[in-house]
Amino acid sequence: MYDVKEWRHAFKLDPNKEISSEALEKICESGTDAIIVGGSDGVTLDNVLDLLAKIRRYTVPCALEVSNIESITPGFDLYFIPSVLNSRDIRWISGLHHQAVKEYGLLIDWDEIVVEGYCILNKDCKAAGLTKANTELDEEDIISYALMAEKMFRMPVFYLEYSGTYGDPNMVRSVKEVLEHTTLFYGGGIHTADQAKEMGEHADVIIVGNAVYENLKEALKTVRAVKNR
Ligand SMILES: CC(C)=CCC/C(C)=C/CC/C(C)=C/CC/C(C)=C/CC/C(C)=C/CC/C(C)=C/CC/C(C)=C/COP(=O)(O)OP(=O)(O)O
Ligand SMILES: O=P(O)(O)OC[C@@H](O)CO
Ligand SMILES: [Mg+2]
C-alpha cells in the first residue's frame, strides 16, 4: 500500500540507532501501514542501507525520509522529501532540494517522491535546531502554513512535527479542519495507545518514533489504537 491517503499509522526508525532483529520483526509485522527510515543526525549511506536490508525481509512498505543527499539510495518504495516551511534557513526549505534535483536529475522517478510540508513545533528537538525553525507560532500561523502547503504548493503531506514531545491535540484538530486534500501527518511523543488514539482522532496518519526504542511493548499497541476505528 504505497498511497499515504490510505495510511493511518507508521513507525519511524532511526538508522543511527541500534535495533535488535526481534524488535524489528515485531515492528514490521505489527500491522503498521509503513516503516519510515529517517532521523535528523548521524544518517549515513551505510546505516541506511543496513536498516533497509533488514526491513526488506518483511513485506511492509518502506519509505526513506531524506535528511541528507549523501544517504539517498535506490531500493525504497517511496522517498519522503521534507521541506521545513517554518525554517529560517532557505537550505531546508528548497536549497538542498535544488542541489539534489540537480545531482539526481533524470534518475528521479517522480512517482516515488512524496513532498512533506513540515512545520516543526518542538523548539528543543534536533530538527528544530538543525533547520533553525521558528517555533514561536500561534494557531493562525500554523494554519497558514497548512494552507500554504495545500493550496499554494499542492504538497501531498503536511507534517505537524513535535518530535520528542507530545503536542497539542486541539492544534492538530484545527489544522485538520482546514485541509481538504493534503494528508495530515502528526508525529511527536506518542508512547501509548491512548495518545495514539487521541492524535489519531484528528491526524490522518500518526508517526511513532522514539517510543520504539524506549518501550516497544507499548509502542506496538499504538497500531491497533488507530487502525481499529
Ligand atoms: C538514485 C536514486 C535512488 C534516486 C532517488 C531520487 C531522490 C529521492 C532524489 C532526492 C530528491 C530531493 C529533492 C532530495 C532532497 C534533499 C534534502 C537533503 C532535503 C532536505 C530535507 C530536510 C529539510 C531535512 C531536515 C531534517 C528533517 C526535517 C528531518 C526530518 C526527520 C526528523 C525530524 C526526524 C526526527 O529526528 P530524530 O533524529 O529522531 O530526532 P530526535 O532526537 O529529536 O528524536
Ligand atoms: O520520535 P517521536 O517523538 O515519536 O516523533 C516521531 C516523528 O515525528 C519524528 O520525526
Ligand atoms: Mg527520534
Side-chain angles (χ1 to χ4, degrees), residues 12 14 39-40 65-69 72-74 79 81-82 84 92 96-97 100-101 104 108 113 118 125-127 130-131 161 163 210:
K12 191 180 284 190
D14 190 334
S40 49
E65 185 171 60
V66 175
S67 55
N68 60 56
I69 295 177
I72 298 174
T73 174
Y79 294 85
I81 312 293
V84 182
W92 306 105
L96 289 165
H97 313 70
V101 172
Y104 286 99
I108 300 176
I113 302 282
Y118 253 76
C125 76
K126 278 190 243 160
L130 177 74
T131 64
E161 174 64 282
S163 182
N210 293 345

Side-chain angles (χ1 to χ4, degrees), residues 8 14 25 100 104 128-129 140 143 164 178 192:
R8 291 285 293 139
D14 190 334
E25 179 174 358
Y104 286 99
E140 223 182 325
I143 284 176
V178 301
T192 65

Side-chain angles (χ1 to χ4, degrees), residues 8 51 55 90 114 119 173 178:
R8 291 285 293 139
L51 186 53
I55 295 168
I90 190 77
V114 180
C119 185
R173 183 181 50 211
V178 301

